[in-house]
Amino acid sequence: MMGKISNVVLVLVYYSILTPSRSNGYPLSTQNRWIIDESTKQRSKLVCGNWAGHLEPMLPEGLNKKPLKDLVSQLVNQRFNCVRLTYAIYMWTRYENNVVEDTLRDLRIHKEVVKGISKSNPSLLKMTHIQVFDSLVKELGDQNVMVLLDNHVSKAKWCCNDDDGNGFFYDKYFDPLEWMQGLSLVGKHYAGNSVVVAMSLRNELHGPRQNKGDWYHYMSEGAKTIHKANPQVLVVVSGLNYDTEFQFLKRKPLKLNIGKKLVYETHLYSWSGVGILNLKETWTMQPLNKICANSLEALDNQVGFLRSGSDAAPLIFSEFGFDESGSNEEDNNFLTCLQTYLVGNDLDWGLWAFQGSYYLRDDKAQVDENFGLMDSSWTHLRYPNFNEKFQLLIRKNQDPTSKVSNNESILYYPLSGQCVKVNGRNELEVSSCETKDRWIHDGDGGNINLVKTNKCLTSNGEGFPVTLSNDCKSKNSSWIFVSPSKLHLATTNIQSDGEYLCLQKDSNSPTILTSKCICIEDDDDSTCLNNPQSQWFQLVPTNNNV
């Protein structure tokens, strides 16, 4: 039992936790497909790291590795401005008064985990689970990070399987009334807290009970519950089939009376598929241009349409991820394709995951997270090239309030995440996306001109660097997107009539050459399995020069 002094200290610590913290945008609202900071009327792009707190210990992961302040600093250092913080409904409806050290003891959590928390975050062991979440929310706010609270599950456990009992309304652990009670408790608890800017209804609805009737009813009731409890937060709505399907909204839109607070979310992994399109191993077993094109077309059909039309709303790609060891070829291929969708549409997004390890997952202690941004020590990036690969995803490339022309583009090289610039030799090369070089394409078969000049991209033949020249009327200065993926920029080979040469990064330098195009065939019988991603380039629209 704690002594009187310890009790007083704990009370003082907790009241300091409840002091509202600052964040860089509150409250947020929507304007068509955009999320807007109401105080500045500027777009607020959410760049989120998923931070799990929904597993059996009901604690944000990593508290055994480093002090809370240092954990948040690592996230901030990678330029994230948001955390999608996952939680279990039962933590609020059944275990709201449980103390952390008691839960860890009951779960027989490995002694090294408890020892690590005692060393790095000793005060948290004597708190309730909710108080620990409050501690994290406050620290995130102190470091200017917004929070999207994500109801991941009802019963605290790893997610997801079709038979996990957490998948859909009336499943074993998914009582709709208790779910709404939990949403209300969370909403009221954080009402007025400027750090919490959004709340999701439910992560990845799934399983055999799924049906559209219950989806419409309970998504509506859940949204109203959150909005009544906390009218300031965005309400984030997920779809069916592991949050990949919304196409039924084309026939019957979701009508909610919650003001400008409705946001949709979607998820995708290399193995998860888009709706009824099941990808699995196709990222290495089918032509990559074809599978990328089919996947992005399915994304637009199932989900992407939500961003346009009379009922347009923001869409957050709140979960995607990849094996950050870099050793999984399928994930690598998938990620580069998905990058072109996220960047091309300048979507808000959430990477799975921030955490490098778990206290307990599926009854296994101290489990490594291969999809984690951090390594298992929570000290180093698991994927060393993260900053380069994700640099353009993090930037706000589209600004709905900008007066800059929207026909300018960044020439993007998704394989490395770099952008194209003109060097001192008037040659093209890949470099940091801090480059100010902007391009205008006159359409298929037209020039690609450097903005504010009369110069254009010109091919100098197979194997030679592409240059910027004044010779904009020749065939080798005319460019067309070829291949099913529309990610190959090609021009006519001046030494061979009818043959295309495609932009390609040199394998040994940042220089961009033209080479014979790889796997650009646009027919169903194509069996070309060579990897064409070294030739993938994308013109990314931008009206934001910051």
Side-chain angles (χ1 to χ4, degrees), residues 270-283 286 291:
S270 64
W271 38 264
S272 64
V274 181
I276 58 173
L277 175 63
N278 200 338
L279 302 181
K280 294 190 181 298
E281 297 179 352
T282 55
W283 289 100
Q286 288 190 23
I291 190 59

Side-chain angles (χ1 to χ4, degrees), residues 121-404:
N121 296 282
S123 64
L124 303 186
L125 286 171
K126 300 294 184 182
M127 294 183 183
T128 67
H129 297 273
I130 292 173
Q131 289 170 343
V132 173
F133 271 69
D134 289 341
S135 299
L136 175 54
V137 168
K138 181 179 185 300
E139 185 57 48
L140 287 165
D142 287 346
Q143 298 195 41
N144 214 30
V145 178
M146 296 175 282
V147 173
L148 189 170
L149 288 172
D150 169 62
N151 170 220
H152 218 68
V153 290
S154 289
K155 181 182 179 181
K157 61 186 300 188
W158 178 250
C159 175
C160 304
N161 294 302
D162 276 353
D163 59 354
D164 60 16
N166 268 316
F168 201 71
F169 307 106
Y170 297 107
D171 275 359
K172 183 177 180 179
Y173 307 118
F174 198 165
D175 174 17
L177 294 180
E178 185 173 9
W179 169 69
M180 285 189 284
Q181 177 194 5
L183 294 179
S184 181
L185 289 169
V186 177
K188 290 176 180 177
H189 185 81
Y190 289 108
N193 189 316
S194 62
V195 183
V196 177
V197 298
M199 288 179 58
S200 76
L201 292 174
R202 186 70 167 203
N203 173 70
E204 294 190 358
L205 294 166
H206 58 276
R209 289 183 183 271
Q210 292 182 97
N211 66 86
K212 298 181 185 67
D214 280 342
W215 185 91
Y216 278 104
H217 176 70
Y218 286 113
M219 290 290 104
S220 298
E221 291 301 308
K224 287 188 290 185
T225 297
I226 289 177
H227 191 65
K228 181 179 179 181
N230 190 341
Q232 299 292 349
V233 296
L234 299 174
V235 178
V236 183
V237 176
S238 61
L240 295 173
N241 197 13
Y242 294 91
D243 206 2
T244 63
E245 288 189 18
F246 280 101
Q247 78 282 5
F248 50 89
L249 291 179
K250 295 177 181 178
R251 298 184 295 275
K252 181 182 176 183
L254 182 65
K255 299 294 185 180
L256 298 176
N257 186 23
I258 60 172
K260 296 182 178 182
K261 297 294 182 179
L262 172 63
V263 175
Y264 293 101
E265 65 175 332
T266 191
H267 297 173
L268 190 65
Y269 294 89
S270 64
W271 38 264
S272 64
V274 181
I276 58 173
L277 175 63
N278 200 338
L279 302 181
K280 294 190 181 298
E281 297 179 352
T282 55
W283 289 100
T284 52
M285 296 179 65
Q286 288 190 23
L288 197 48
N289 277 314
K290 179 180 177 181
I291 190 59
C292 182
N294 290 346
S295 299
L296 301 190
E297 181 181 357
L299 265 176
D300 264 341
N301 181 54
Q302 303 287 88
V303 177
F305 70 92
L306 293 167
R307 298 175 289 107
S308 60
S310 59
D311 295 305
L315 174 67
I316 302 176
F317 222 106
S318 60
E319 266 193 47
F320 70 97
F322 64 107
D323 183 341
E324 299 206 20
S325 70
S327 62
N328 187 301
E329 185 179 359
E330 291 178 355
D331 277 357
N332 295 340
N333 292 343
F334 159 79
L335 177 64
T336 301
C337 174
L338 182 61
Q339 280 173 247
T340 67
Y341 189 82
L342 296 176
V343 168
N345 294 291
D346 202 18
L347 293 178
D348 303 73
W349 54 268
L351 178 70
W352 188 275
F354 172 52
Q355 64 269 6
S357 62
Y358 300 94
Y359 312 118
L360 183 69
R361 174 175 159 180
D362 292 332
D363 297 324
K364 297 178 181 179
Q366 302 192 86
V367 178
D368 198 19
E369 173 55 277
N370 290 334
F371 280 48
L373 178 72
M374 307 309 299
D375 65 9
S376 57
S377 72
W378 292 65
T379 300
H380 305 290
L381 290 176
R382 189 179 299 268
Y383 183 60
N385 295 331
F386 174 82
N387 288 304
E388 183 173 84
K389 184 76 166 172
F390 278 73
Q391 58 182 310
L392 198 59
L393 279 75
I394 291 171
R395 282 182 41 169
K396 182 169 65 176
N397 299 309
Q398 290 287 327
D399 181 357
T401 65
S402 174
K403 296 181 181 180
V404 176

Side-chain angles (χ1 to χ4, degrees), residues 9 25 57 78 92 137 161 165 174 267 299 308 312 326 343 357 369 414 421 435 467 498 512 533-534 539:
V9 171
Q78 308 311 321
W92 292 85
V137 168
N161 294 302
F174 198 165
H267 297 173
L299 265 176
S308 60
V343 168
S357 62
E369 173 55 277
K421 74 170 188 178
T435 176
T467 56
I512 297 172
Q533 291 184 330
S534 64
L539 286 167

